[in-house]
Amino acid sequence: MDTTTPFVYGKLAVLDNFTNRKKEVNKLITNFNSNINTILISPRRLGKSSLVFYSAKKASELHKELRFCFIDMFNVRTEEQFYQLLAQEIVQATANKVEGIVDLVKKFLGSFIPKVSFNPTAESSFQLGLDWKEVKKNPDEILNLSEKIAEKKNFKFVICIDEFQNLSNFENPLAFQKKLRSNWQKHQLTSYCLFGSKRHMLIDVFTNSAMPFYKFGDIIFLQKIKKEDWIPFIIKRFADTGKKIHEKQAAMVSELADCHPYYVQQLAQQTWLRTDKECTDEIVLRAFEDLIDQLSLLFQTRTDELSQTQVNLMEAVLNGEKQLSSQNVLLKYRLGTSANAIKARNALINKEIIDVEQKRVFFLDPMYKHWLQKVYFKI
């Protein structure tokens, strides 16, 4: 019997760990091969990165001329860091041997006085250093690097950028966006897959007609995976390791985690660990309560950092209040003025605790919602 934990969370889900999303995968593969820019938007932990990596792998198998660059902007805070990372990943995706990397850097980045250092334990692993003073003189050379290489090498690039909204941290983000758009919109052999988790920021970047990236590409709003897709996945992963879970218990796992990919995988893992041979309702419920207990300190800390008005507003949302600025709600939950309620709501949105969609206010983290209901407020 295979004793390896069959559920993955907190890192990329690949191969058998990847769950369904056939429609989204097919859409991305088509866009990648058709040179269509794609914008992927969803809250955190819904599996954007796993979806992009999985789709890129499948697209590469189908279309050998495709080359993928993956850039994570989570820790990128300046234009200099962005150009450095972009250039390095483009080179990395193009050449995989020391000689090829050096030749490519000399040919296409020579004017930036490049420095290349290699990892002695991994031939294709390297660090690229560029003279920032030279880069500032002509940054367009780096922004068009993939297009120039693609023309010479006769293939197509797809540049995938995670946490794209972090460019708002740059010194002059609007000017930088204009610079990117003016170059990237001309590309014929390079397309872009831009994604991130700050939904409202990304919607503004890509749907506001006053913004440079307005109508830049195909926008996909990633939804949760349906329960009907989770059930066979959970059953199979149990069976793969010689354990058994019935459809009822697999449905319980997905329902208790509100079909949230990260938490379904986590709860399924905790359930699997507690199952000797065959899963029962009691095992699922015990795993769920243990998981909530495990997360309690984190949730308590998160709640302690909020203002009293923000906490009161969360209670109103949990109780199903629709008109958060009505006089009745303001008085009942001690929210002060309607302006205070709106300010608290916006603060919770910015903290990625709640979100609003078609006037519906909802919690992004289903486990935090459950903890607030059953432990903190005891609703």
Side-chain angles (χ1 to χ4, degrees), residues 322-347:
K322 305 297 183 186
Q323 304 296 325
L324 297 177
S325 296
S326 69
Q327 283 302 310
N328 180 49
V329 171
L330 292 176
L331 289 171
K332 182 178 179 180
Y333 296 94
R334 304 174 304 283
L335 297 174
T337 65
S338 59
N340 284 342
I342 292 171
K343 183 179 178 181
R345 185 200 66 176
N346 291 340

Side-chain angles (χ1 to χ4, degrees), residues 13-49:
V14 297
L15 302 176
D16 291 342
N17 294 315
F18 188 82
T19 319
N20 198 269
R21 295 222 185 269
K22 293 178 182 177
K23 180 181 177 181
E24 292 90 343
V25 169
N26 290 335
K27 179 71 170 176
L28 284 178
I29 291 173
T30 298
N31 284 4
F32 293 159
N33 190 50
S34 303
N35 208 50
I36 296 172
N37 298 324
T38 307
I39 293 94
L40 190 61
I41 301 175
S42 82
R44 291 189 188 281
R45 295 178 173 178
L46 282 199
K48 293 180 299 299
S49 298

Side-chain angles (χ1 to χ4, degrees), residues 231-288:
I231 290 172
F233 172 78
I234 294 169
I235 291 174
K236 182 180 185 302
R237 298 304 277 158
F238 266 71
D240 288 345
T241 55
K243 297 184 181 184
K244 187 172 185 179
I245 185 171
H246 296 281
E247 184 174 325
K248 180 187 177 186
Q249 287 81 42
M252 284 178 64
V253 170
S254 57
E255 288 167 1
L256 287 169
D258 196 26
C259 292
H260 188 290
Y262 180 92
Y263 284 126
V264 172
Q265 295 265 17
Q266 189 175 20
L267 180 56
Q269 184 208 56
Q270 294 301 312
T271 301
W272 180 87
L273 288 170
R274 288 163 176 76
T275 299
D276 182 22
K277 293 181 179 180
E278 186 171 343
C279 184
T280 63
D281 290 3
E282 290 73 20
I283 291 174
V284 176
L285 292 173
R286 188 170 72 248
F288 178 67

Side-chain angles (χ1 to χ4, degrees), residues 138-153:
N138 194 8
D140 291 359
E141 285 293 312
I142 293 179
L143 296 180
N144 293 308
L145 178 62
S146 61
E147 191 72 0
K148 289 184 177 181
I149 293 177
E151 289 174 357
K152 293 288 185 181
K153 299 287 185 178

